[in-house]
Amino acid sequence: MGRSRTGSGLAEDLLIELDRDAGVPLHRQIETSIRAGIRAGRLRAGASLPPSRTLAAGLGVSRGVVVEAYQQLVAEGYLASRSGGYTQVAASMPPVAAGAGPATPAAHGPGFRVDFGYGRTDVSQFPRAAWLRSVRAVLTATPNDRFAYLDGRGVPELHTALCDYLNRVRGTSAAPGHVVVCGGYGQGIALLIQVLVQHGARRIALEDPSSNDDALVLARAAGLEVVGVPVGPDGVEVGALHRADADAVVLTPSHQWPTGGVLSAPARAEVIRWAKRRGALVIEDDYDAEYRYDRSPVGAMQGLAPDHVVYCGTASKTLAPGLRLGWLVVPARLVGDVAAAKVLADRGSPVIDQLTFADFLARGEFDRHLRRMRPVYRRRRDALLDALRTQLPELRPAGIAAGQHVVAWLPPGLDEAEVVAAAARRGLGIHGVGPYRITGAGPGGLIFGYAILSEAAIAEGVALLASAVREVRGR
Ligand SMILES: Cc1ncc(COP(=O)(O)O)c(C=O)c1O
């Protein structure tokens, strides 16, 4: 049936140029060239690509390199595998937003020229080919009975793979029997609050400022009294925690959200002493820990006191929030209750996703993905800091060593809400710290989410902000 060939099947026909000194893996260079050819219309829908062996010979690379590139582009929807073992350009182009293309993610949120909205990870970099390999392995090899109902904690393979990863990389002291897989941190904190209430808790301490759309709302809805504990440059102020008279505290010790402070070793030890003395629970939200740029890793608090700390992890920042994959490492005395709450909530997280993630972790793909993404985010962070330094030197960036956002404190006299409003009038989306304060006043600050912005968009955004600040100053 009239397969239109691209020519002799040599690399020149596809305009693939490999730069072996570029530091970019060869399969990615091949992907980029083919993707560009399809987007530019040079490679038309239905055109056949050369067999992987032929292209590999033409390029002087191993066949596996070409196979990996083809698989990635099939996963993205640019190419299609046909029976008979040949590969064609797909009949229709995938939507741009779904492409894992070169690092030019959307710079513009709805209604904004540039949007520094936080909490967004660069999902265009989702490792589709590697994930697909794990899905395929799971669907091929997993016996039928593993797809039946399970207990609420999730699949044993993922418990083991997570413990191996967390104990190695995050310094936890996690045993497979203490892991509960959940639908992201959002569900994890909901289950924990439910169990705290069952156990008679009345007050919960939250960092002030902190995120206002999970623990705060859930705790109040469950009838708990919420106490805000002020956050300083190095995370929560432990002295204030002592005065809070709380049954539990939620902390982001590795990169406080939103101020970016890192809780010091003495402060961690003091929090643990507090928890032991009161019989209180520390809920450690470790969501931002995998992206560290300048400082040496800081281990999780859970490793210091596994009987007093619940460790909460999520794939939302490292892979994609749409996966809805999270995990709790729970003290022995609470595991049964948290698992029971999970069964009540949804009868357990999807098994195929869990097995896939277990396979992905066990193959080392998660480590590989993080190694690949760290320099990408670091470049964007550096672009932000450079732009702030040159265009807005009066702002004081903080928490820059980790994560996917930076806070910059405003000088006294510059009103946060006025700056945010003036920025919005210029098409710049940015959040102030103020709305995340529980107990009220504090210095003005702006939260810059940079993870999905190109370096050019970051520079444009800071220029818009500088213009907004000039307007507010000039009043
Ligand atoms: C403080 C904090 N922790 C954790 C998360 C991750 O939540 P989830 O795992 O439910 O996507 C977020 C999301 O932005 C967050 O702001």
Side-chain angles (χ1 to χ4, degrees):
M1 281 270 304
R3 284 159 41 180
S4 59
R5 301 210 58 101
T6 55
S8 65
L10 294 177
E12 300 87 294
D13 299 322
L14 296 176
L15 296 185
I16 295 173
E17 283 179 15
L18 296 182
D19 178 354
R20 284 162 212 273
D21 298 320
V24 178
L26 295 174
H27 66 92
R28 288 221 177 274
Q29 296 189 35
I30 297 171
E31 283 161 40
T32 303
S33 298
I34 297 177
R35 204 185 283 113
I38 296 172
R39 282 200 170 151
R42 263 191 302 107
L43 299 172
R44 290 181 192 286
S48 292
L49 269 79
S52 53
R53 205 179 300 280
T54 312
L55 181 58
L59 291 169
V61 300
S62 74
R63 181 170 166 247
V65 168
V66 175
V67 169
E68 183 152 10
Y70 279 8
Q71 279 177 348
Q72 173 68 31
L73 293 168
V74 167
E76 290 176 24
Y78 285 94
L79 299 182
S81 293
R82 292 283 171 256
S83 57
Y86 67 95
T87 306
Q88 274 184 325
V89 177
S92 61
M93 282 266 287
V96 171
T104 51
H108 311 300
F112 290 120
R113 281 167 63 86
V114 179
D115 189 355
F116 280 125
Y118 58 82
R120 299 173 304 171
T121 209
D122 190 350
V123 292
S124 78
Q125 302 286 320
F126 185 80
R128 290 174 185 243
W131 193 262
L132 189 62
R133 276 197 293 279
S134 291
V135 173
R136 198 169 280 139
V138 163
L139 291 179
T140 308
T142 306
N144 293 342
D145 61 357
R146 305 306 318 287
F147 297 155
Y149 285 117
L150 293 168
D151 78 72
R153 294 198 307 105
V155 305
E157 288 89 339
L158 184 53
H159 299 152
T160 306
L162 278 170
C163 287
D164 288 350
Y165 170 76
L166 294 171
N167 293 345
R168 171 172 59 85
V169 173
R170 299 299 304 126
T172 52
S173 174
H178 294 184
V179 178
V180 179
V181 179
C182 53
Y185 171 75
Q187 184 181 49
I189 186 69
L191 300 177
L192 292 170
I193 285 173
Q194 197 177 324
V195 169
L196 278 169
V197 171
Q198 278 165 19
H199 284 243
R202 294 191 6 257
R203 278 159 79 89
I204 189 166
L206 304 182
E207 295 167 325
D208 185 9
S210 60
S211 62
N212 60 8
D213 61 356
D214 39 50
L216 181 75
V217 189
L218 289 161
R220 285 187 175 148
L224 288 176
E225 190 183 340
V226 171
V227 197
V229 183
V231 162
D234 301 324
V236 75
E237 287 173 4
V238 186
L241 180 60
H242 282 293
R243 294 188 291 278
D245 191 25
D247 302 298
V249 62
V250 181
L251 297 178
T252 48
S254 64
H255 191 237
Q256 202 276 330
W257 197 95
T259 65
V262 181
L263 201 61
S264 69
R268 284 164 190 245
E270 186 57 29
V271 171
I272 300 291
R273 273 196 294 279
W274 168 85
K276 286 184 176 169
R277 223 170 17 240
R278 290 186 65 84
L281 192 67
V282 178
I283 298 174
E284 177 178 28
D285 175 6
D286 198 40
Y287 82 108
D288 231 356
E290 273 88 358
Y291 291 120
R292 300 174 313 271
Y293 310 116
D294 306 317
R295 61 179 165 78
S296 45
V298 183
M301 287 181 71
Q302 191 271 355
L304 301 173
D307 291 337
H308 299 272
V309 181
V310 180
Y311 177 93
C312 310
T314 176
S316 290
K317 295 294 149 72
T318 47
L319 287 168
L323 285 178
R324 304 314 304 140
L325 259 174
W327 45 92
L328 305 174
V329 183
V330 183
R333 67 181 187 286
L334 298 177
V335 175
D337 289 344
V338 175
K342 172 69 178 162
V343 172
L344 256 185
D346 60 10
R347 291 193 164 86
S349 290
V351 167
I352 293 175
D353 295 349
Q354 292 186 65
L355 290 169
T356 300
F357 187 39
D359 183 81
F360 189 84
L361 279 164
R363 284 172 194 252
E365 293 293 354
F366 193 58
D367 295 274
R368 236 186 309 285
H369 177 66
L370 291 173
R371 273 200 303 277
R372 190 167 73 77
M373 291 311 297
R374 272 188 206 107
V376 173
Y377 290 133
R378 186 188 174 127
R379 275 198 301 278
R380 294 174 188 169
R381 181 209 60 168
D382 288 348
L384 173 64
L385 295 177
D386 281 349
L388 288 173
R389 201 176 303 119
T390 50
Q391 303 195 50
L392 281 165
E394 62 200 309
L395 266 57
R396 264 190 315 113
I400 63 172
Q404 298 179 326
H405 76 275
V406 157
V407 159
W409 297 110
L410 295 170
L414 201 52
D415 184 82
E416 178 188 296
E418 285 185 28
V419 172
V420 169
R425 283 194 293 279
R426 284 161 174 76
L428 175 68
I430 194 157
H431 292 270
V433 173
Y436 303 96
R437 294 191 186 282
I438 298 173
T439 42
L446 301 172
I447 306 170
F448 296 79
Y450 55 77
I452 68 164
L453 298 181
S454 69
E455 288 151 54
I458 289 169
E460 183 187 353
V462 173
L464 292 169
L465 182 64
S467 151
V469 166
R470 279 194 297 277
E471 178 197 319
V472 175
R473 278 238 181 275
R475 284 185 191 153

